Amino acid sequence: AAIVAHTELLEIRSRQSWSRGEPLWSEPPARAYESVVALPEAERFELLPHLARTACQSLESIARWDDDPLIRARMELSRRDATRYAEDALALAPRYRDHPQYGTAIYLANMTLGTVALRDGDTKKAVLFLRRASRAPASEELAYSNGIVSSHHWHLAADLLKLGEKEAVLEFLDRMSATSVANRYELREAATAIR
């Protein structure tokens, strides 16, 4: 019942699973998607949502150099990979409803697709994905991970709020505050400030 302890244990487990060491060699970025597709389905399901988020973060972090043709090509690759990873995660999700990461996969995939849609100028689609993300079933990670919901990596809600999508953002904050135990206070505080 100790929320902070549960959050810390989840963080430790997460770091352990991602710190198994870097491989001596990895696929070039242009072939990364093909190497992921070749993995067994269960392993793919666990990786795809996180790879989607990472590709989306990569897209956003290099966007400031979009005047360079090489960077533009890399941005397009990150955009394409983020979309494919997220769509593949959502396609596999119905077969993994009992998986402990099911809700996290739904959430991360929809947040990724929403971020990409907004980046492409499609506000209506971005709102749809934000709403779908907020309806993701609870998972341990969504409930106790510190920052998965209110992380600086996800500014989709803030960007939509700036575009006048107040009701969609409030719905997102209200739903996620019901799911996220670790960030409940911050989410409710944000919703109150917007109201």
Side-chain angles (χ1 to χ4, degrees), residues 45 92-103:
F45 176 71
L92 286 176
R95 293 196 288 275
Y96 291 90
R97 289 186 193 278
D98 294 330
H99 193 283
Q101 294 296 314
Y102 174 72

Side-chain angles (χ1 to χ4, degrees), residues 5-24:
H6 199 134
T7 299
E8 286 302 314
L9 286 172
L10 185 64
E11 179 66 26
I12 290 167
R13 282 200 318 261
S14 176
R15 271 188 264 141
Q16 287 174 338
S17 70
W18 287 100
S19 67
R20 292 187 180 131
E22 290 293 319
L24 294 176

Side-chain angles (χ1 to χ4, degrees), residues 112-188:
T112 297
L113 292 171
T115 300
V116 171
L118 190 60
R119 182 167 187 72
D120 291 347
D122 193 338
T123 304
K124 188 175 181 178
K125 211 172 183 182
V127 166
L128 173 71
F129 287 121
L130 182 75
R131 285 190 163 124
R132 287 181 181 170
S134 74
R135 294 182 183 122
S139 66
E140 181 184 35
E141 192 170 5
L142 287 177
Y144 291 101
S145 180
N146 196 13
I148 193 167
V149 174
S150 61
S151 170
H152 67 278
H153 299 300
W154 297 123
H155 46 78
L156 177 59
D159 291 345
L160 286 170
L161 184 63
K162 290 175 191 170
L163 294 173
E165 297 294 338
K166 180 180 174 180
E167 291 308 313
V169 171
L170 286 171
E171 179 185 333
F172 172 79
L173 293 171
D174 290 342
R175 285 180 179 270
M176 294 315 297
S177 69
T179 300
S180 176
V181 177
N183 297 125
R184 182 167 289 152
Y185 175 78
E186 292 87 352
L187 294 167
R188 287 180 178 165

Side-chain angles (χ1 to χ4, degrees), residues 34-81:
E34 287 74 22
S35 67
V36 172
V37 171
L39 295 171
E41 185 180 272
E43 191 176 340
R44 233 176 29 246
F45 176 71
E46 289 184 11
L47 287 175
L48 283 168
H50 299 285
L51 291 171
R53 176 174 60 179
T54 301
C56 189
Q57 290 169 347
S58 172
L59 171 63
E60 293 192 339
S61 70
I62 61 176
R64 61 182 168 218
W65 295 296
D66 70 345
D67 57 338
D68 182 329
L70 294 174
I71 296 295
R72 265 186 264 138
R74 183 64 177 97
M75 284 174 54
E76 181 51 36
L77 177 63
S78 292
R79 184 200 169 286
R80 189 178 72 223
D81 282 350

